[in-house]
Amino acid sequence: MREQRANAPKTKPAVLTRMRSATGRGAPVVTYSLIGVTIAVFLLQLIPGLAVTERLLYAGVYSLPFNFEPWRMITSMFVHSTGLIFHVLLNMYTLWIFGQLLEGLLGRWRFLALYLIAGLGGSVAVLWLSDPRTGVVGASGAIFGLMGAFLVIQRRLGGDTTQLLVLLGINLVIGFVPGWNIAWQAHLGGLVVGALIGLIFVETRKRNQQGLQVGLLIGLTVVLLILSLRFFVFPLV
């Protein structure tokens, strides 16, 4: 029996095999991972007593010097309204569509950088443009960042952007509808930052410009981090 076990072919768990296969054939694993993490966090939000939403949402008050919790600018991207399930479903559906397109076009690490930096840009816009007492949740800033980047890349490469412009226009207008409690500030901030990142990617796409590309992304992130210190630079009167 020992000899048979020693000579038997070694097998790997099916899940591990499928994950490696997906990675090898260029599947959008970052997109799937972001969706999986977001859905998992949403399910945790539904458990009474954990207070997941309250611990991860963002509001301007969390950027005050005496109440400084800057990580919320990122964690707020992974929590959604528990009172309206369509909030998380619509965001994840949009992420699934644009994630597959952009992750395949840009590569995994560039796509992840786009998603996170655009989400940060949405939170920075909330800090500067909204009431600091108003909490916000959702991946909308990052989602608008994906659409902004895709719009810029498509236009620079000569693609048709008419339908995307209509979609963006509708979503931006919806953000201003009274009573809907939509953080249009996050939409606008994510859109602008995503468009800037898309411009960086498309203008530095040559192999010998990779260093410049990384430097510009770091520079943009540093600018956003400086802007996130609003109440340190401009204290409340």
Side-chain angles (χ1 to χ4, degrees):
M1 290 178 64
R2 283 197 298 268
E3 289 178 357
Q4 288 178 349
R5 284 197 296 267
N7 295 326
K10 300 297 186 297
T11 59
K12 299 178 181 179
V15 173
L16 181 60
T17 302
R18 291 174 183 173
M19 288 179 63
R20 290 182 176 177
S21 176
T23 303
R25 65 173 180 266
V29 293
V30 174
T31 299
Y32 296 159
S33 298
L34 289 171
I35 293 174
V37 170
T38 304
I39 295 298
V41 171
F42 181 75
L43 294 176
L44 291 175
Q45 288 180 256
L46 300 177
I47 301 177
L50 293 183
V52 172
T53 306
E54 291 75 12
R55 294 174 187 272
L56 300 182
L57 64 76
Y58 176 70
V61 294
Y62 294 111
S63 293
L64 291 167
F66 57 83
N67 194 36
F68 195 53
E69 298 182 13
W71 57 85
R72 288 176 178 267
M73 286 188 154
I74 296 296
T75 59
S76 61
M77 298 162 48
F78 296 95
V79 290
H80 288 76
S81 171
T82 55
L84 185 65
I85 192 172
F86 290 106
H87 185 210
V88 65
L89 292 180
L90 180 60
N91 275 346
M92 292 304 98
Y93 176 68
T94 309
L95 172 56
W96 181 66
I97 293 175
F98 284 96
Q100 293 182 89
L101 292 171
L102 284 168
E103 188 173 345
L105 180 66
L106 301 174
R108 292 175 182 135
W109 292 111
R110 290 185 182 89
F111 172 73
L112 181 61
L114 166 63
Y115 190 83
L116 295 178
I117 298 173
L120 175 62
S123 295
V124 170
V126 168
L127 170 63
W128 282 85
L129 301 176
S130 68
D131 187 331
R133 297 167 296 181
T134 303
V136 297
V137 295
S140 300
I143 299 297
F144 268 77
L146 299 185
M147 291 192 285
F150 189 73
L151 174 64
V152 170
I153 292 172
Q154 278 283 88
R155 287 187 68 86
R156 300 292 286 190
L157 298 181
D160 183 17
T161 58
T162 303
Q163 293 183 345
L164 182 55
L165 282 171
V166 173
L167 176 64
L168 276 172
I170 292 174
N171 280 274
L172 284 173
V173 170
I174 288 175
F176 291 94
V177 175
W180 283 31
N181 297 322
I182 296 176
W184 62 265
Q185 299 90 342
H187 294 183
L188 182 61
L191 178 64
V192 171
V193 173
L196 288 174
I197 296 174
L199 185 62
I200 290 173
F201 283 151
V202 79
E203 294 297 332
T204 60
R205 61 185 182 274
K206 296 181 181 178
R207 186 178 297 274
N208 61 357
Q209 294 178 309
Q210 290 185 357
L212 175 61
Q213 182 180 105
V214 173
L216 290 173
L217 290 176
I218 293 175
L220 177 59
T221 304
V222 169
V223 169
L224 292 174
L225 292 176
I226 292 173
L227 291 174
S228 72
L229 301 175
R230 172 189 176 183
F231 294 131
F232 289 86
V233 180
F234 302 102
L236 288 176
V237 179

